[in-house]
Amino acid sequence: GESVGLHLPTLSVQEGDNSIINCAYSNSASDYFIWYKQESGKGPQFIIDIRSNMDKRQGQRVTVLLNKTVKHLSLQIAATQPGDSAVYFCAENISDSGYALNFGKGTSLLVTP
Amino acid sequence: GAVVSQHPSRVICKSGTSVKIECRSLDFQATTMFWYRQFPKQSLMLMATSNEGSKATYEQGVEKDKFLINHASLTLSTLTVTSAHPEDSSFYICSARSRRRGTEAFFGQGTRLTVV
């Protein structure tokens, strides 16, 4: 299930199930979006990105969906594994602007055996 | 992918002292570097943006005299936390971008600062 409170929202899934992590972004001018995975005590690790001229992009076991109409981004992880347990952040940017990435609040994914 | 190295990974310092954190791009020239701060169970918050050879641009609420940023070369940026206090304890992360490598930002492994 998913819970939202003062801490990071947490999504618990069973090993082997698919995971869907959602993110809402704020800047309608953003045209580049990235999903990062962050393990405890480490820097963000790039997972997958998508530009605003696309609405879907697939990688290995991961798919990112972009809905610009409602400014919504999702990350789907197929056949979730224990090693996928981490905090996932979406980030938005105006490409080639030199601006920094703007990070979303993050979702903690917990994969149970 | 490109490699960004951050040093040290952990540092403990006494209140009132200064701490320097280094961020190096190992295999590319970073025209822009970014410094973020992350408190436990929170997202990354941008502190400042620095372009090589020019002064850093600080985000609102970030004291530039307390968090000194130097980006003297295309492969090195430093963040110095001056007169550190316990409330400065946080996870500091740098990232680097290169015009040649397009839009993607590459992140360092972070520095855990604990001020006692």
Side-chain angles (χ1 to χ4, degrees):
Chain A
E2 183 175 341
S3 64
V4 177
L6 293 177
H7 299 293
L8 288 171
T10 299
L11 176 65
S12 296
V13 298
Q14 278 202 311
E15 182 178 357
D17 286 351
N18 297 334
S19 303
I20 300 177
I21 301 171
N22 297 303
C23 178
Y25 65 93
S26 56
N27 191 347
S28 56
S30 295
D31 61 358
Y32 179 58
F33 306 89
I34 314 103
W35 280 101
Y36 287 94
K37 173 185 180 183
Q38 187 181 30
E39 296 174 321
S40 180
K42 297 183 180 180
Q45 176 187 352
F46 175 92
I47 301 173
I48 191 168
D49 60 0
I50 188 168
R51 295 193 180 276
S52 58
N53 60 352
M54 303 173 69
D55 53 19
K56 180 179 180 179
R57 189 164 187 229
Q58 288 184 290
Q60 189 177 13
R61 281 204 306 120
V62 294
T63 302
V64 55
L65 299 178
L66 174 62
N67 185 330
K68 295 181 289 295
T69 304
V70 295
K71 297 205 281 286
H72 183 268
L73 198 65
S74 70
L75 176 70
Q76 300 177 4
I77 304 174
T80 315
Q81 302 168 0
D84 295 327
S85 293
V87 178
Y88 289 81
F89 293 97
C90 66
E92 58 176 309
N93 184 230
I94 302 172
S95 61
D96 300 326
S97 67
Y99 297 158
L101 295 170
N102 182 35
F103 281 80
K105 294 191 188 322
T107 297
S108 178
L109 176 65
L110 178 63
V111 182
T112 56
Chain B
V3 178
V4 173
S5 176
Q6 202 172 325
H7 179 79
S9 58
R10 291 175 178 269
V11 57
I12 300 172
C13 71
K14 290 185 177 179
S15 188
T17 62
S18 296
V19 174
K20 181 185 283 189
I21 302 169
E22 293 187 347
C23 180
R24 293 180 185 274
S25 56
L26 297 185
D27 53 357
F28 69 101
Q29 292 184 327
T31 45
T32 307
M33 285 189 170
F34 306 95
W35 287 94
Y36 294 85
R37 180 168 51 183
Q38 185 178 32
F39 292 109
K41 297 191 185 302
Q42 293 189 25
S43 188
L44 283 74
M45 297 301 296
L46 179 68
M47 297 176 68
T49 301
S50 73
N51 294 298
E52 185 265 340
S54 61
K55 289 184 178 180
T57 302
Y58 289 81
E59 294 299 299
Q60 193 172 11
V62 178
E63 301 173 56
K64 60 182 179 182
D65 293 331
K66 180 168 186 62
F67 299 99
L68 302 178
I69 292 171
N70 185 286
H71 190 171
S73 78
L74 284 171
T75 59
L76 174 64
S77 176
T78 60
L79 167 68
T80 301
V81 183
T82 63
S83 186
H85 291 284
E87 57 265 30
D88 298 323
S89 298
S90 188
F91 194 53
Y92 293 87
I93 307 169
C94 71
S95 75
R97 290 175 71 174
S98 167
R99 285 196 202 98
R100 286 189 178 181
R101 289 182 175 263
T103 311
E104 187 175 350
F106 303 95
F107 283 83
Q109 60 268 55
T111 297
R112 171 73 60 194
L113 170 63
T114 303
V115 184
V116 297

Coordinates of all heavy atoms in Angstrom, one line a residue, chain B residues 10-73:
Chain B
R10 N 32.4 11.2 4.2 CA 31.9 11.5 5.5 C 32.9 12.4 6.2 O 34.1 12.3 6.0 CB 31.8 10.2 6.3 CG 30.7 9.2 5.9 CD 30.8 8.0 6.8 NE 29.8 7.0 6.4 CZ 28.6 7.0 7.0 NH1 28.3 7.8 7.9 NH2 27.7 6.1 6.6
V11 N 32.3 13.3 7.0 CA 33.2 14.2 7.8 C 32.5 14.6 9.0 O 31.3 14.9 9.0 CB 33.7 15.4 7.0 CG1 32.5 16.2 6.4 CG2 34.6 16.3 7.8
I12 N 33.2 14.6 10.1 CA 32.7 15.0 11.4 C 33.5 16.2 11.8 O 34.8 16.1 11.8 CB 32.7 13.9 12.5 CG1 31.9 12.7 12.0 CG2 32.2 14.4 13.8 CD1 32.0 11.5 12.9
C13 N 32.9 17.3 12.2 CA 33.7 18.4 12.6 C 33.1 19.1 13.8 O 31.9 18.9 14.1 CB 33.8 19.5 11.4 SG 32.3 20.4 11.1
K14 N 33.9 19.9 14.5 CA 33.4 20.6 15.7 C 32.7 21.8 15.3 O 33.0 22.5 14.3 CB 34.6 20.9 16.6 CG 35.2 19.7 17.2 CD 36.3 20.1 18.2 CE 36.9 18.9 18.9 NZ 38.0 19.2 19.9
S15 N 31.8 22.2 16.1 CA 31.0 23.4 15.9 C 32.0 24.6 15.8 O 32.9 24.7 16.7 CB 30.0 23.6 17.0 OG 29.1 24.6 16.8
G16 N 31.8 25.5 14.9 CA 32.6 26.6 14.7 C 33.8 26.5 13.7 O 34.4 27.5 13.3
T17 N 34.1 25.3 13.3 CA 35.1 25.1 12.4 C 34.6 25.1 10.9 O 33.3 25.1 10.7 CB 35.8 23.7 12.6 OG1 34.9 22.6 12.5 CG2 36.4 23.7 14.0
S18 N 35.5 25.1 10.0 CA 35.0 25.1 8.6 C 35.4 23.7 7.9 O 36.4 23.1 8.3 CB 35.7 26.2 7.8 OG 35.3 27.5 8.3
V19 N 34.6 23.4 7.0 CA 34.8 22.1 6.3 C 34.7 22.3 4.7 O 33.8 23.0 4.3 CB 33.7 21.1 6.6 CG1 33.8 19.8 5.8 CG2 33.8 20.8 8.1
K20 N 35.7 21.7 4.0 CA 35.7 21.9 2.6 C 35.3 20.5 1.9 O 35.8 19.5 2.3 CB 37.0 22.3 2.1 CG 37.1 22.5 0.5 CD 38.5 22.8 0.0 CE 38.8 24.3 0.3 NZ 40.1 24.6 -0.4
I21 N 34.4 20.6 1.0 CA 34.0 19.4 0.2 C 34.3 19.6 -1.2 O 34.1 20.7 -1.8 CB 32.4 19.2 0.4 CG1 32.0 19.1 1.8 CG2 32.0 18.0 -0.5 CD1 30.5 19.1 2.0
E22 N 35.0 18.6 -1.8 CA 35.4 18.7 -3.2 C 34.5 17.9 -4.1 O 34.1 16.8 -3.8 CB 36.8 18.2 -3.4 CG 37.9 19.1 -2.7 CD 39.3 18.7 -3.0 OE1 39.5 17.5 -3.6 OE2 40.2 19.4 -2.7
C23 N 34.3 18.4 -5.3 CA 33.6 17.7 -6.3 C 34.4 17.8 -7.6 O 34.7 18.9 -8.1 CB 32.2 18.4 -6.5 SG 31.1 17.7 -7.8
R24 N 34.7 16.6 -8.1 CA 35.5 16.6 -9.3 C 34.8 15.8 -10.5 O 34.3 14.7 -10.2 CB 36.9 15.9 -9.1 CG 37.8 16.6 -8.2 CD 39.1 15.9 -7.9 NE 39.9 16.6 -6.9 CZ 40.8 17.5 -7.2 NH1 40.9 17.9 -8.5 NH2 41.5 18.1 -6.3
S25 N 34.9 16.3 -11.7 CA 34.5 15.6 -12.8 C 35.7 14.9 -13.4 O 36.7 15.5 -13.7 CB 33.8 16.5 -13.9 OG 34.7 17.5 -14.3
L26 N 35.7 13.5 -13.4 CA 36.9 12.8 -13.7 C 37.2 12.6 -15.2 O 38.3 12.5 -15.6 CB 36.8 11.4 -13.0 CG 36.7 11.4 -11.5 CD1 36.8 10.0 -10.9 CD2 37.8 12.3 -10.9
D27 N 36.2 12.6 -16.0 CA 36.4 12.2 -17.4 C 35.7 13.2 -18.3 O 35.5 12.9 -19.5 CB 36.1 10.8 -17.7 CG 34.6 10.5 -17.2 OD1 34.0 11.4 -16.7 OD2 34.2 9.3 -17.5
F28 N 35.3 14.3 -17.8 CA 34.7 15.3 -18.7 C 34.9 16.7 -18.1 O 35.2 16.8 -16.9 CB 33.2 15.0 -19.0 CG 32.3 15.2 -17.7 CD1 31.5 16.4 -17.6 CD2 32.3 14.2 -16.8 CE1 30.7 16.5 -16.5 CE2 31.4 14.4 -15.6 CZ 30.7 15.6 -15.5
Q29 N 34.7 17.7 -18.9 CA 34.8 19.1 -18.4 C 33.4 19.6 -18.0 O 32.5 19.6 -18.9 CB 35.4 20.0 -19.5 CG 36.9 19.6 -19.7 CD 37.5 20.6 -20.7 OE1 36.9 21.1 -21.6 NE2 38.8 20.9 -20.5
A30 N 33.3 19.9 -16.8 CA 32.0 20.4 -16.2 C 31.8 21.9 -16.3 O 32.4 22.6 -15.6 CB 31.8 19.9 -14.8
T31 N 31.1 22.3 -17.3 CA 30.9 23.7 -17.4 C 30.0 24.3 -16.3 O 30.1 25.5 -15.9 CB 30.2 24.0 -18.8 OG1 29.1 23.1 -19.0 CG2 31.2 23.9 -19.9
T32 N 29.1 23.5 -15.8 CA 28.3 23.9 -14.7 C 28.2 22.8 -13.6 O 28.1 21.7 -13.9 CB 26.8 24.1 -15.2 OG1 26.8 25.0 -16.3 CG2 25.9 24.7 -14.1
M33 N 28.3 23.3 -12.4 CA 28.2 22.4 -11.2 C 27.1 22.9 -10.3 O 26.9 24.1 -10.2 CB 29.5 22.2 -10.5 CG 30.5 21.3 -11.3 SD 32.0 21.0 -10.3 CE 32.8 19.8 -11.3
F34 N 26.5 22.0 -9.7 CA 25.4 22.3 -8.8 C 25.6 21.6 -7.4 O 26.1 20.5 -7.3 CB 24.0 21.7 -9.3 CG 23.7 22.1 -10.7 CD1 24.1 21.3 -11.8 CD2 23.1 23.3 -11.0 CE1 23.8 21.7 -13.1 CE2 22.8 23.7 -12.3 CZ 23.1 22.9 -13.3
W35 N 25.2 22.4 -6.4 CA 25.4 21.8 -5.0 C 24.0 21.7 -4.4 O 23.2 22.7 -4.5 CB 26.2 22.7 -4.2 CG 27.7 22.6 -4.5 CD1 28.4 23.4 -5.4 CD2 28.6 21.6 -4.0 NE1 29.7 22.9 -5.5 CE2 29.9 21.9 -4.6 CE3 28.5 20.5 -3.2 CZ2 31.0 21.1 -4.4 CZ3 29.6 19.8 -2.9 CH2 30.8 20.0 -3.5
Y36 N 23.7 20.5 -3.9 CA 22.4 20.2 -3.2 C 22.7 19.9 -1.8 O 23.7 19.4 -1.4 CB 21.7 19.1 -3.9 CG 21.3 19.3 -5.4 CD1 22.2 19.1 -6.4 CD2 20.0 19.7 -5.7 CE1 21.8 19.3 -7.7 CE2 19.6 19.9 -7.0 CZ 20.5 19.7 -8.0 OH 20.1 19.8 -9.3
R37 N 21.6 20.1 -1.0 CA 21.6 19.6 0.4 C 20.4 18.8 0.6 O 19.3 19.0 0.0 CB 21.6 20.8 1.3 CG 21.6 20.5 2.8 CD 21.8 21.7 3.6 NE 20.9 22.8 3.3 CZ 21.0 24.0 3.9 NH1 21.9 24.3 4.8 NH2 20.2 25.0 3.5
Q38 N 20.6 17.7 1.3 CA 19.5 16.8 1.6 C 19.4 16.4 3.0 O 20.3 15.8 3.6 CB 19.7 15.5 0.7 CG 18.5 14.5 0.8 CD 18.7 13.3 -0.1 OE1 19.8 12.9 -0.3 NE2 17.6 12.8 -0.6
F39 N 18.3 16.7 3.7 CA 18.1 16.3 5.1 C 17.4 15.0 5.1 O 16.8 14.6 4.0 CB 17.2 17.4 5.8 CG 17.9 18.7 6.0 CD1 17.6 19.8 5.3 CD2 19.0 18.8 6.9 CE1 18.3 21.0 5.4 CE2 19.7 20.0 7.0 CZ 19.3 21.1 6.3
P40 N 17.5 14.3 6.2 CA 16.9 12.9 6.2 C 15.5 12.8 5.8 O 14.7 13.7 6.2 CB 17.1 12.5 7.7 CG 18.3 13.3 8.2 CD 18.2 14.6 7.5
K41 N 15.2 11.9 5.0 CA 13.9 11.6 4.5 C 13.3 12.7 3.7 O 12.0 12.9 3.6 CB 12.9 11.2 5.6 CG 13.4 9.9 6.3 CD 12.3 9.4 7.2 CE 12.8 8.1 8.0 NZ 13.2 7.0 7.1
Q42 N 14.1 13.6 3.1 CA 13.6 14.7 2.3 C 14.3 14.6 0.9 O 15.2 13.9 0.7 CB 13.9 16.0 3.0 CG 13.1 16.2 4.3 CD 13.2 17.6 4.9 OE1 13.5 18.6 4.1 NE2 13.0 17.7 6.1
S43 N 13.8 15.5 0.1 CA 14.3 15.5 -1.3 C 15.6 16.4 -1.3 O 16.1 17.0 -0.3 CB 13.3 16.1 -2.2 OG 13.7 16.0 -3.5
L44 N 16.2 16.4 -2.5 CA 17.4 17.2 -2.7 C 17.0 18.7 -2.9 O 16.1 18.9 -3.7 CB 18.2 16.8 -4.0 CG 19.0 15.5 -3.8 CD1 18.2 14.3 -3.8 CD2 20.0 15.4 -5.0
M45 N 17.6 19.6 -2.2 CA 17.3 21.0 -2.4 C 18.5 21.7 -2.9 O 19.6 21.6 -2.4 CB 16.9 21.6 -1.0 CG 15.7 21.0 -0.4 SD 14.2 21.2 -1.4 CE 14.0 22.9 -1.4
L46 N 18.3 22.4 -4.0 CA 19.4 23.1 -4.6 C 19.9 24.3 -3.8 O 19.1 25.0 -3.2 CB 18.9 23.7 -6.0 CG 20.0 24.5 -6.8 CD1 21.1 23.5 -7.2 CD2 19.3 25.2 -8.0
M47 N 21.2 24.3 -3.6 CA 21.8 25.4 -2.8 C 22.3 26.5 -3.8 O 22.1 27.7 -3.5 CB 23.0 24.9 -2.0 CG 22.6 23.8 -0.9 SD 24.0 23.2 -0.1 CE 24.5 24.7 0.8
A48 N 23.1 26.0 -4.8 CA 23.7 27.0 -5.6 C 24.1 26.4 -6.9 O 24.3 25.1 -7.0 CB 24.9 27.6 -4.9
T49 N 24.3 27.2 -7.9 CA 24.8 26.8 -9.3 C 26.0 27.6 -9.5 O 26.1 28.8 -9.3 CB 23.7 27.2 -10.3 OG1 22.5 26.5 -10.0 CG2 24.2 26.8 -11.7
S50 N 27.0 26.9 -10.0 CA 28.3 27.6 -10.3 C 28.8 27.2 -11.7 O 28.7 26.1 -12.1 CB 29.4 27.3 -9.3 OG 29.9 26.0 -9.5
N51 N 29.1 28.2 -12.4 CA 29.7 28.1 -13.7 C 31.2 28.4 -13.6 O 31.6 29.3 -12.9 CB 29.1 29.0 -14.8 CG 27.7 28.7 -15.0 OD1 27.3 27.6 -15.5 ND2 26.8 29.6 -14.7
E52 N 32.0 27.6 -14.4 CA 33.5 27.8 -14.3 C 33.9 29.2 -14.5 O 33.5 29.8 -15.5 CB 34.1 26.8 -15.3 CG 35.6 26.8 -15.2 CD 36.3 27.7 -16.2 OE1 35.7 28.1 -17.2 OE2 37.5 28.0 -15.9
G53 N 34.7 29.7 -13.5 CA 35.3 31.0 -13.7 C 34.4 32.2 -13.3 O 34.8 33.3 -13.4
S54 N 33.2 31.9 -12.8 CA 32.3 33.0 -12.4 C 31.7 32.7 -11.0 O 31.9 31.6 -10.5 CB 31.2 33.2 -13.4 OG 30.4 32.0 -13.5
K55 N 31.1 33.7 -10.5 CA 30.6 33.6 -9.1 C 29.4 32.6 -9.1 O 28.6 32.6 -10.1 CB 30.2 34.9 -8.6 CG 31.3 35.8 -8.2 CD 30.9 37.1 -7.6 CE 32.0 38.0 -7.1 NZ 31.6 39.2 -6.5
A56 N 29.2 31.9 -8.0 CA 28.1 31.0 -7.9 C 26.8 31.8 -7.7 O 26.8 32.9 -7.2 CB 28.3 30.1 -6.7
T57 N 25.7 31.2 -8.2 CA 24.4 31.8 -8.0 C 23.7 31.0 -6.9 O 23.5 29.8 -7.1 CB 23.5 31.7 -9.3 OG1 24.2 32.4 -10.3 CG2 22.2 32.3 -9.1
Y58 N 23.3 31.7 -5.8 CA 22.7 31.0 -4.7 C 21.2 31.0 -4.7 O 20.6 32.0 -5.1 CB 23.2 31.6 -3.4 CG 24.7 31.3 -3.1 CD1 25.7 32.1 -3.8 CD2 25.1 30.3 -2.2 CE1 27.0 31.8 -3.5 CE2 26.4 30.1 -2.0 CZ 27.4 30.8 -2.6 OH 28.7 30.6 -2.4
E59 N 20.6 30.0 -4.2 CA 19.2 29.9 -4.1 C 18.7 30.8 -2.9 O 19.5 31.1 -2.0 CB 18.7 28.5 -3.9 CG 18.9 27.6 -5.2 CD 18.2 28.2 -6.4 OE1 17.0 28.2 -6.4 OE2 18.9 28.5 -7.4
Q60 N 17.5 31.2 -3.0 CA 17.0 32.0 -1.9 C 17.1 31.3 -0.6 O 16.7 30.1 -0.5 CB 15.5 32.4 -2.2 CG 14.9 33.5 -1.3 CD 13.5 33.9 -1.8 OE1 12.9 33.2 -2.7 NE2 13.0 35.0 -1.3
G61 N 17.5 32.0 0.4 CA 17.6 31.4 1.8 C 19.0 30.7 2.0 O 19.2 30.3 3.2
V62 N 19.8 30.6 1.0 CA 21.1 30.0 1.2 C 22.2 31.2 1.4 O 22.3 32.0 0.6 CB 21.5 29.1 0.1 CG1 22.9 28.6 0.3 CG2 20.5 28.0 -0.1
E63 N 22.8 31.1 2.6 CA 23.8 32.2 2.9 C 25.1 32.0 2.1 O 25.8 31.1 2.3 CB 24.1 32.2 4.4 CG 22.9 32.4 5.3 CD 23.2 32.3 6.7 OE1 24.2 33.0 7.2 OE2 22.7 31.4 7.4
K64 N 25.4 32.9 1.2 CA 26.6 32.8 0.4 C 27.9 33.0 1.2 O 28.9 32.4 0.8 CB 26.6 33.7 -0.8 CG 26.5 35.2 -0.4 CD 26.5 36.1 -1.6 CE 26.4 37.5 -1.3 NZ 26.3 38.4 -2.5
D65 N 27.8 33.7 2.3 CA 29.0 33.9 3.1 C 29.3 32.6 4.0 O 30.4 32.5 4.5 CB 28.9 35.1 4.0 CG 28.9 36.4 3.2 OD1 29.5 36.4 2.1 OD2 28.2 37.3 3.6
K66 N 28.2 31.8 4.2 CA 28.4 30.6 5.0 C 28.8 29.4 4.1 O 29.6 28.6 4.5 CB 27.1 30.3 5.7 CG 27.2 29.1 6.6 CD 26.0 29.0 7.5 CE 26.2 27.8 8.5 NZ 27.4 28.0 9.3
F67 N 28.2 29.4 2.9 CA 28.5 28.3 2.0 C 29.3 28.8 0.8 O 28.7 29.3 -0.1 CB 27.2 27.6 1.6 CG 26.4 27.0 2.7 CD1 25.3 27.7 3.2 CD2 26.7 25.8 3.2 CE1 24.6 27.1 4.3 CE2 26.0 25.2 4.3 CZ 24.9 25.9 4.8
L68 N 30.6 28.8 1.0 CA 31.4 29.3 -0.1 C 31.7 28.3 -1.2 O 32.1 27.2 -0.9 CB 32.8 29.8 0.5 CG 32.7 30.8 1.7 CD1 34.1 31.1 2.2 CD2 32.1 32.1 1.2
I69 N 31.4 28.8 -2.4 CA 31.6 27.9 -3.5 C 32.6 28.4 -4.5 O 32.5 29.6 -4.8 CB 30.2 27.7 -4.3 CG1 29.3 26.9 -3.4 CG2 30.4 27.0 -5.6 CD1 27.9 26.8 -3.9
N70 N 33.5 27.6 -4.9 CA 34.6 28.0 -5.8 C 34.6 27.0 -6.9 O 34.6 25.8 -6.7 CB 35.9 28.0 -5.1 CG 37.0 28.5 -6.0 OD1 37.5 27.8 -6.9 ND2 37.5 29.7 -5.7
H71 N 34.6 27.5 -8.1 CA 34.6 26.6 -9.3 C 35.7 27.2 -10.2 O 35.4 27.7 -11.3 CB 33.2 26.7 -10.0 CG 33.0 25.7 -11.1 ND1 31.8 25.5 -11.7 CD2 33.9 24.8 -11.7 CE1 31.9 24.6 -12.6 NE2 33.1 24.2 -12.7
A72 N 36.9 26.9 -9.8 CA 38.1 27.5 -10.4 C 38.5 26.8 -11.7 O 39.2 27.4 -12.5 CB 39.2 27.6 -9.4
S73 N 38.1 25.6 -11.9 CA 38.5 24.9 -13.1 C 37.3 24.1 -13.6 O 36.3 24.0 -13.0 CB 39.7 23.9 -12.8 OG 39.2 22.8 -12.2

